[in-house]
């Protein structure tokens, strides 16, 4: 039981390049999330998916797109990377986003640097 | 929308000393409260959560937190810390969505 997995662990991009961050969970959770973590700012929600087939914007969605490929997988895409997107990205999942008492389970993170 | 303020960005303490990490929240409706811990180069793990009932909540690794509705606080405490407690700690509040505080870096020194 791996929980939430993310690939890659590290990535360096040049400005303007694109990439996709992959996330998968094996806990049969309905809801999945993408956060970015920046020093002194905690975690900020980029996008989330309440259930398979749905996605919604979070607090900081600009410059990102997401795909909920199936119940297990939720990917985050940067179409044209900018230095401001240098951050650590975390994927998380929970049983059901409409039940706010549920905890979220986090992946190990992807450390992205945009030069 | 709800928000969370962690009052200390860094807390250095000596091993075996007590520690309190402070968290205040604001919300116009009832919320659920969480503390997560992030060890270096890892994701976040749940320490404890308050849903309802007793205002004193016990979590893993000897941590506990007290919910105070009148002061809108949810401070995290441990009576005696270990070197292994060195980590970043995040308070979070959840209603429609989960909002995280900026984090408190706890450093335990020998």
């Amino acid at each position: 039981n791996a929980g939430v997995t993310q690939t890659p662990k590290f990535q360096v991009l040049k400005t303007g390049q694109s990439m996709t961050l992959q996330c998968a969970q094996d806990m049969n959770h309905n809801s999945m999330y993408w956060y970015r973590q920046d020093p002194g700012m905690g975690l900020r929600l980029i996008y989330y998916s309440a259930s398979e087939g749905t996605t919604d914007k979070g607090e900081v969605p600009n410059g990102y797109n997401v795909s909920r490929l199936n119940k297990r997988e939720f990917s985050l895409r940067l179409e044209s990377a900018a230095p401001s997107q240098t951050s650590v990205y975390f994927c998380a999942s929970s049983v059901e986003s409409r039940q706010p008492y549920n905890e979220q389970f986090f992946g190990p993170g992807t450390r992205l640097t945009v030069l | 929308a709800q928000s969370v303020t962690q009052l200390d960005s860094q807390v250095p303490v000596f091993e075996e000393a007590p520690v309190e990490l402070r968290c205040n929240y604001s919300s116009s409706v009832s919320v659920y409260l969480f503390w997560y811990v992030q060890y270096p180069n890892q994701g976040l793990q749940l320490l404890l959560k308050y849903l309802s009932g007793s205002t004193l909540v016990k979590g893993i690794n000897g941590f506990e937190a007290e919910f105070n509705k009148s002061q809108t606080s949810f401070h995290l405490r441990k009576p005696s810390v270990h070197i292994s407690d060195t980590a970043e700690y995040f308070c979070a509040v959840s209603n429609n969505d989960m909002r995280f505080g900026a984090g408190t870096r706890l450093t335990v020194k020998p």
Side-chain angles (χ1 to χ4, degrees), chain A residues 35 37 40-45 59 100 103-104 106, chain B residues 2-9 20-27 31-38 44-50 57 63-68 71-77 87-95 97-106:
Chain A
Y35 292 91
Q37 182 182 28
M41 303 190 74
L43 278 75
R44 292 181 292 168
L45 184 65
E59 190 182 352
E103 68 183 273
Q104 294 183 13
F106 287 81
Chain B
Q2 63 268 24
S3 65
V4 181
T5 301
Q6 290 185 243
L7 297 160
D8 307 292
S9 59
E20 178 180 80
L21 306 184
R22 298 179 294 166
C23 172
N24 285 98
Y25 69 94
S26 66
S27 177
V31 294
Y32 304 100
L33 296 157
F34 303 77
W35 275 99
Y36 287 85
V37 59
Q38 183 182 30
L44 278 69
Q45 304 172 34
L46 182 71
L47 264 182
L48 49 80
K49 61 182 177 182
Y50 173 78
V57 181
F63 283 93
E64 62 182 32
E66 185 155 20
F67 169 62
N68 188 319
Q71 296 188 8
T72 59
S73 68
F74 190 53
H75 300 334
L76 181 71
R77 303 185 181 104
E88 187 141 24
Y89 292 79
F90 292 94
C91 183
V93 60
S94 180
N95 182 0
D97 57 4
M98 188 170 286
R99 294 293 176 113
F100 290 84
T104 297
R105 185 171 298 278
L106 174 65

Side-chain angles (χ1 to χ4, degrees), chain A residues 88-100:
Chain A
V88 181
Y89 292 85
F90 288 100
C91 178
S93 71
S94 70
V95 171
E96 175 60 66
S97 65
R98 286 183 286 268
Q99 298 167 350

Side-chain angles (χ1 to χ4, degrees), chain A residues 63-115:
Chain A
Y64 305 96
N65 285 302
V66 290
S67 297
R68 183 74 182 265
L69 305 168
N70 47 56
K71 191 171 185 179
R72 290 188 64 248
E73 298 172 290
F74 188 38
S75 63
L76 177 73
R77 183 160 177 84
L78 287 70
E79 289 292 352
S80 178
S84 60
Q85 294 178 304
T86 292
S87 188
V88 181
Y89 292 85
F90 288 100
C91 178
S93 71
S94 70
V95 171
E96 175 60 66
S97 65
R98 286 183 286 268
Q99 298 167 350
Y101 47 82
N102 287 322
E103 68 183 273
Q104 294 183 13
F105 293 81
F106 287 81
T110 295
R111 192 172 296 272
L112 175 67
T113 301
V114 183
L115 303 174

